Amino acid sequence: MPHVHKMLKWLELAGMMMVALIFVFPFVWMFLTSFKSLQEVIQFPPQWLPETWLWENVVKAWDSGPFLTYFSNSVLVALSILILQFLTGVPAAYAFARYRFKGRNWLFGLSLIALMIPPQITFLPVFLELSQWKLINTLWALILPYSASAFGIFLLRQAFMQVPEEIVEAARLDQASEWQIMWNLMVPMARPVLVTFGLFSFIYHWNDYFWPLVMTNQELVRTLPIGIAMLKQSEGGVAWHIVMAGNLILVLPILLIFFLAQRQIIRAFVYSGVK
Amino acid sequence: MAEVVLKQIVKTFDRQTVIQQLDLTISNGSFTVLVGPSGCGKTTTLRMIAGLETVTEGEIWIGDQKVNDLPPGKRDLAMVFQNYALYPTMTVKENIEFGLKNRKVRKEEREQLIREIAEIVGLSDYLQRKPSTLSGGQRQRVALARAMVKKPKVFLMDEPLSNLDATLRHQMRTELIELHKQLGATFIYVTHDQVEAMSMGDQIVVMDRGRIQQTASPMELYQEPANRFVARFIGTPSMNILTLPDLPGLQLGIRPERVMLIREDGSAFSFHAEWQRTKPDLQRADNPPEGISAEGVILGREVLGAETLYKVQTQLGAFAVKSHSDLLLNQDEKVLVRLRKQDLYFFDAAAGQRVREQDAFARHALEAILSPLTEPAVLGVGGR
Ligand SMILES: Nc1ncnc2c1ncn2[C@@H]1O[C@H](COP(=O)(O)OP(=O)(O)OP(=O)(O)O)[C@@H](O)[C@H]1O
Ligand SMILES: [Mg+2]
């Protein structure tokens, strides 16, 4: 019997390794490609490691357009969206979770429906409206439409509903205002959900290609994904090694966030298990 | 001061009335216990006093102020919840401090107060810990400290000890009684445990189905229950309620610990201390006291150590008897049963109201069942 157990353990481990490999492989390939010469990239059979590591590919990618602008635009847009979604989501979720008012369920249902409609369907009316406000080709066009997140409201509402009513009542007896209860009690308690949602939202908007593509056509207000996509349009075939180097620039900040916040993230999830 | 008065309180949840015309005066500095079976409306009553629940009808007064429309934070009271309701993301110190901060108490003063309170409840070494790292008893103390630090006029507690183990519960009970003496504040305490109610309260409010059944001191509640519900609720095992053909429209109540069982060989059992005092009377042949004599047989027994519970079948019916004697009666053993007149309770069979002896109805009934109690031979041997 212990033999069988051991076998199963090994199988399980092997399975997990496989899945991890499938996930990691494209990233590794991207990383390696970034430092190859074009020759090595397109040769067949493919070669694993670059002959010489061409670190300058990254510099080339960075220099082939106003990448500093793209980069700071991306940071600005993703962070602004995150902050706005947080500021609008917390009160909305708190109200949905804790107050009884007329039309509550109806309104909540409406915001859930918003969750199911992809931006490809709504972009046209939003575009028209924004152009009326003369906001096309500004960062506002990238930020404002996302200033509230139905998904965030949904997640936060679930988290707030988990908080025992007595804790809120104890705070009321302690003369806390609704505002304080919301920001000083509920928000810290919902930290795991906030971290999860924050990561999700940031990554989604950091990587978002469609919306910035539609809303901007000037370099000054473009974001990184657009800039990198445009690397493909260089003269004389696609310079894949440069494109991959651009992608490296795109994913690096996110990897960095994961790396730096790793302990925070894991702690946040561990906390959620403890009542 | 901080007298709490409820006037004609009605509470309705979605058309279901859970509190009906409740009148209650809780005098300043008293330790009042609300007790009753699950769902009788204790928590609801407490929450209405706290302002966490609105009243449907009626008035609540704290001191000389009508508080119906006052928010919870402004009522100068503190509440200890059953599951403590500590703020999980704050340290013990921050938990205690939160209410003070909201009242704009200055920092030095806050520190001073927290230090004092932590000392009293024995939490000084735990101030920087999070509630999740504390034991149940320690959390309980944090909850108490958080309530005490505000120095409220009224303390509300909703089954604060029910999550603790028996030893700790006993210890905290004593500590709460001490605390009440020290603070001199009004305590309103909810429990469904009648033993806890009896041991802690100086005024006990027995509730059932949203109505107050009786408000009295522990001793009065035990000796003079106002109705069948209170009589059965107070005391373990509960009072035996017998329906006799000789007593139409009435029911006879007998406390298990007040029944004397006598073995056929004459040695007495279940000798309640009260019987000792009547002993000389019993032995007087000329004017014997009255009571009920019956013959019975032991149907079953439960040995609990300090006491033994018997189930006895007599011509009155089957009922429970609690004995404090170390000698044991056996199953199927024949016994003599004796009941003193002053230990008999009568209730209206339909309404459950207590029918007093002065009542002509009851006097008539008594005559039907009473006979002189004389057992000199037996009682010579008796004792415990
Ligand atoms: N928010 C509510 N909505 C509807 N009904 C309620 C609500 N709160 C309490 N009730 C009802 O009111 C009645 C009294 O409840 P309450 O909580 O006061 O009982 P309790 O005496 O505290 O019982 P327990 O000993 O079980 O805590 C119950 O029948 C309960 O179902
Ligand atoms: Mg309750």
Side-chain angles (χ1 to χ4, degrees):
Chain A
M1 278 318 270
H3 259 75
V4 178
H5 259 288
K6 239 185 184 154
M7 282 275 285
L8 279 176
K9 268 263 181 287
W10 276 108
L11 272 176
E12 200 181 304
L13 200 66
M16 287 197 291
M17 295 284 268
M18 280 284 286
V19 174
L21 213 68
I22 291 170
F23 269 92
V24 166
F25 177 74
F27 285 95
V28 173
W29 196 247
M30 176 190 82
F31 179 80
L32 294 173
T33 309
S34 305
F35 300 110
K36 289 175 184 170
S37 64
L38 187 58
Q39 201 98 59
E40 288 170 312
V41 172
I42 54 183
Q43 94 185 15
F44 194 85
Q47 186 182 342
W48 267 104
L49 294 174
E51 198 92 348
T52 46
W53 292 75
L54 300 173
W55 303 101
E56 62 262 33
N57 286 353
V58 180
V59 180
K60 267 190 205 155
W62 185 266
D63 283 342
S64 61
F67 264 75
L68 188 64
T69 309
Y70 297 156
F71 189 85
S72 55
N73 282 346
S74 270
V75 171
L76 200 67
V77 168
L79 274 185
S80 308
I81 288 176
L82 187 61
I83 291 167
L84 277 176
Q85 287 183 341
F86 179 63
L87 291 181
T88 54
V90 167
Y94 184 66
F96 279 134
R98 289 283 156 179
Y99 292 151
R100 291 161 158 255
F101 52 89
K102 232 184 165 161
R104 178 181 71 164
N105 292 337
W106 193 83
L107 274 174
F108 184 64
L110 204 67
S111 67
L112 280 190
I113 291 173
L115 192 63
M116 295 170 214
I117 301 176
Q120 283 78 356
I121 292 177
T122 54
F123 86 91
L124 203 56
V126 174
F127 182 88
L128 292 176
E129 193 164 327
L130 287 173
S131 71
Q132 267 200 348
W133 296 349
K134 308 245 179 311
L135 290 179
I136 299 299
N137 269 324
T138 67
L139 291 182
W140 290 114
L142 306 185
I143 296 168
L144 280 182
Y146 288 104
S147 54
S149 159
F151 183 53
I153 292 171
F154 173 75
L155 279 183
L156 275 172
R157 172 180 169 269
Q158 296 303 107
F160 289 165
M161 282 187 350
Q162 302 281 314
V163 176
E165 184 67 25
E166 283 90 351
I167 291 184
V168 178
E169 289 172 344
R172 293 215 172 104
L173 283 163
D174 268 348
Q175 290 196 15
S177 63
E178 287 301 294
W179 194 253
Q180 270 182 307
I181 292 174
M182 189 161 74
W183 293 106
N184 299 353
L185 272 180
M186 297 298 231
V187 168
M189 273 190 256
R191 207 172 80 167
V193 167
L194 282 172
V195 170
T196 316
F197 173 69
L199 283 174
F200 172 85
S201 166
F202 187 85
I203 292 170
Y204 180 88
H205 293 289
W206 180 264
N207 288 339
D208 191 18
Y209 176 72
F210 173 75
W211 200 263
L213 184 69
V214 174
M215 296 296 158
T216 61
N217 58 17
Q218 289 173 7
E219 286 196 331
L220 216 59
V221 288
R222 282 200 172 125
T223 55
L224 266 183
I226 310 280
I228 287 154
M230 286 194 326
L231 288 176
K232 284 202 289 192
Q233 292 159 12
S234 53
E235 66 284 2
V238 182
W240 286 114
H241 57 312
I242 303 294
V243 174
M244 285 304 145
N247 276 328
L248 203 61
I249 296 173
L250 184 69
V251 296
L252 222 54
I254 288 177
L255 287 180
L256 208 69
I257 290 174
F258 267 113
F259 197 71
L260 290 179
Q262 198 180 26
R263 275 187 37 180
Q264 279 283 319
I265 294 167
I266 291 173
R267 248 225 327 246
F269 286 103
V270 171
Y271 256 123
S272 66
V274 183
K275 263 225 168 151
Chain B
M1 282 289 286
E3 189 183 58
V4 179
V5 182
L6 310 188
K7 293 181 186 168
Q8 290 288 303
I9 295 293
V10 175
K11 177 68 190 178
T12 310
F13 285 115
D14 323 312
R15 275 199 233 119
Q16 183 206 358
T17 303
V18 297
I19 302 288
Q20 317 188 20
Q21 255 116 51
L22 189 127
D23 274 304
L24 178 61
T25 302
I26 295 161
S27 55
N28 180 37
S30 82
F31 196 133
T32 295
V33 180
L34 305 183
V35 66
S38 190
C40 70
K42 309 178 292 286
T43 299
T44 307
T45 307
L46 201 70
R47 289 169 54 83
M48 285 192 292
I49 298 173
L52 298 171
E53 207 80 73
T54 55
V55 300
T56 312
E57 271 173 49
E59 295 177 0
I60 297 182
W61 289 71
I62 298 177
D64 44 18
Q65 194 179 14
K66 183 179 162 194
V67 297
N68 281 38
D69 301 316
L70 218 54
K74 297 261 191 282
R75 295 192 180 190
D76 198 10
L77 41 78
M79 184 156 170
V80 179
F81 294 85
Q82 179 172 1
N83 53 9
Y84 319 137
L86 301 177
Y87 311 129
T89 54
M90 299 186 193
T91 61
V92 170
K93 180 171 177 231
E94 288 165 338
N95 261 282
I96 303 174
E97 200 174 18
F98 191 63
L100 296 178
K101 270 189 182 163
N102 293 338
R103 292 169 162 216
K104 312 260 185 303
V105 178
R106 280 179 306 112
K107 182 150 174 67
E108 310 88 72
E109 203 178 329
R110 289 204 305 257
E111 297 285 336
Q112 170 76 19
L113 280 169
I114 292 169
R115 224 172 308 124
E116 277 173 27
I117 297 290
E119 191 69 37
I120 294 175
V121 296
L123 280 173
S124 301
D125 296 338
Y126 298 93
L127 286 177
Q128 297 311 324
R129 299 261 288 262
K130 288 271 175 70
S132 57
T133 67
L134 299 178
S135 73
Q138 289 165 335
R139 286 180 207 188
Q140 172 64 47
R141 280 158 215 266
V142 179
L144 270 178
R146 185 174 68 178
M148 281 163 60
V149 80
K150 296 191 281 181
K151 299 206 171 21
K153 283 186 282 192
V154 182
F155 277 91
L156 307 177
M157 307 192 184
D158 191 357
E159 309 205 20
L161 308 184
S162 60
N163 285 346
L164 305 180
D165 67 50
T167 326
L168 199 53
R169 195 179 320 153
H170 209 257
Q171 182 192 339
M172 287 302 292
R173 236 188 247 170
T174 326
E175 284 181 21
L176 279 178
I177 296 170
E178 271 307 305
L179 195 67
H180 173 247
K181 278 200 199 119
Q182 267 178 38
L183 299 176
T186 309
F187 275 39
I188 307 177
Y189 187 103
V190 163
T191 176
H192 62 259
D193 178 354
Q194 50 107 358
V195 178
E196 199 165 291
M198 297 291 271
S199 65
M200 296 180 84
D202 48 36
Q203 171 175 260
I204 296 177
V205 182
V206 183
M207 295 178 66
D208 183 39
R209 277 175 275 161
R211 286 180 194 279
I212 292 183
Q213 301 296 322
Q214 189 172 3
T215 305
S217 69
M219 216 49 207
E220 193 186 342
L221 222 49
Y222 177 77
Q223 288 174 339
E224 298 296 338
N227 56 41
R228 189 171 54 206
F229 177 83
V230 176
R232 283 186 61 80
F233 191 76
I234 303 293
T236 29
S238 352
M239 182 184 277
N240 297 295
I241 302 290
L242 303 175
T243 311
L244 304 180
D246 294 346
L247 300 175
L250 283 185
Q251 282 175 319
L252 174 63
I254 305 164
R255 291 213 179 274
E257 61 274 22
R258 295 283 170 125
V259 182
M260 180 156 79
L261 297 182
I262 303 162
R263 203 172 223 167
E264 273 199 317
D265 72 4
S267 50
F269 270 86
S270 121
F271 213 87
H272 192 276
E274 277 295 304
W275 279 84
Q276 291 280 15
R277 273 198 279 150
T278 13
K279 207 158 103 176
D281 295 336
L282 289 170
Q283 281 162 326
R284 266 180 25 207
D286 51 330
N287 186 15
E290 287 184 306
I292 298 178
S293 305
E295 288 175 8
V297 63
I298 305 287
L299 287 182
R301 77 171 186 213
E302 267 176 74
V303 182
L304 303 178
E307 58 206 34
T308 310
L309 304 181
Y310 294 104
K311 183 107 184 162
V312 182
Q313 177 72 55
T314 69
Q315 63 260 44
L316 300 170
F319 53 84
V321 176
K322 181 151 96 179
S323 153
H324 287 97
S325 174
D326 285 346
L327 302 167
L328 292 180
L329 294 168
N330 296 317
Q331 177 109 23
D332 300 327
E333 197 168 326
K334 285 217 176 76
V335 285
L336 301 174
V337 179
R338 294 292 179 268
L339 288 160
R340 298 185 310 170
K341 178 177 152 193
Q342 59 264 52
D343 292 332
L344 304 179
Y345 296 88
F346 294 97
F347 303 100
D348 186 296
Q353 286 311 306
R354 174 96 179 268
V355 178
R356 307 264 168 186
E357 211 184 301
Q358 300 89 305
D359 200 306
F361 195 26
R363 198 148 359 110
H364 185 72
L366 273 171
E367 278 164 19
I369 56 168
L370 289 186
S371 59
L373 288 179
T374 44
E375 301 293 341
V378 166
L379 288 153
V381 187
R384 8 193 270 173

